[in-house]
Amino acid sequence: MQATKTRRTPSGGKFHNSRRKGRCGVAATELALLLPIIIGTTVTSIDLGRMLHVSLVLGNSVRMGADYVATRGVTSDSQAAVTSEITNQVATIFTDTVRSEVEQLEVVPTISLGSGNSHTTRIQASCVVPILFSWGGLFEDVTIERSLVVQRYR
């Protein structure tokens, strides 16, 4: 039979669990101190990620509206219809992608007709993104704005 070895400390004495019992409270205290910081950092990261996502989608929606107006000729007769179609396209693309994360979406297309078949179109869009976790009333919501100018010479 093989003899079992007893654990010994470096000084040669037997190992006692008295030091280990004192460490249990330290881990719980460290967790209690760091948990609010970890949760706050996580929620802030989620908020920043949501705002970045909404900003990118809003920029892409405005770009798609600009693409629509750049591929069509605008005359004084069709100006109102094209303005309405730009607003509808930007709003549709944006709401299909973002869904219910925003409170307000405002799209303002402005078309300036030039000589001949040229025109300049400015598309401005803005939306309000609510914050998930309010830092003592510091921020309630964030407004994100995107603007694009398209000039067509034909």
Side-chain angles (χ1 to χ4, degrees):
M1 263 194 160
Q2 212 175 14
T4 59
K5 294 182 181 179
T6 57
R7 289 183 65 194
R8 300 213 175 255
T9 62
S11 63
K14 287 188 176 178
F15 186 76
H16 296 288
N17 287 335
S18 62
R19 281 188 273 165
R20 187 176 286 175
K21 288 180 183 176
R23 288 287 299 164
C24 290
V26 173
T29 304
E30 289 174 356
L31 179 66
L33 291 173
L34 292 178
L35 194 60
I37 295 171
I38 293 170
I39 291 173
T41 304
T42 303
V43 171
T44 302
S45 298
I46 291 170
D47 270 340
L48 289 175
R50 286 177 62 240
M51 284 183 263
L52 179 63
H53 172 71
V54 169
S55 176
L56 290 172
V57 170
L58 187 62
N60 287 337
S61 300
V62 169
R63 207 170 295 120
M64 293 296 287
D67 183 47
Y68 175 82
V69 76
T71 57
R72 286 162 178 72
V74 179
T75 62
S76 59
D77 297 334
S78 66
Q79 185 173 356
V82 170
T83 302
S84 175
E85 186 61 30
I86 293 170
T87 303
N88 290 338
Q89 280 206 352
V90 171
T92 301
I93 293 168
F94 183 76
T95 53
D96 285 350
T97 306
V98 176
R99 292 185 178 69
S100 64
E101 292 182 17
V102 297
E103 292 179 351
Q104 302 168 355
L105 173 65
E106 183 179 346
V107 181
V108 181
T110 307
I111 300 175
S112 302
L113 297 175
S115 61
N117 200 14
S118 68
H119 62 272
T120 302
T121 304
R122 179 180 182 90
I123 303 172
Q124 295 175 305
S126 65
C127 64
V128 177
V129 181
I131 302 297
L132 291 178
F133 185 72
S134 178
W135 292 93
L138 188 62
F139 296 111
E140 296 297 324
D141 50 19
V142 175
T143 302
I144 298 175
E145 298 177 350
R146 289 288 174 259
S147 178
L148 188 63
V149 176
V150 178
Q151 294 180 339
R152 181 174 180 207
Y153 303 102
R154 274 197 201 168

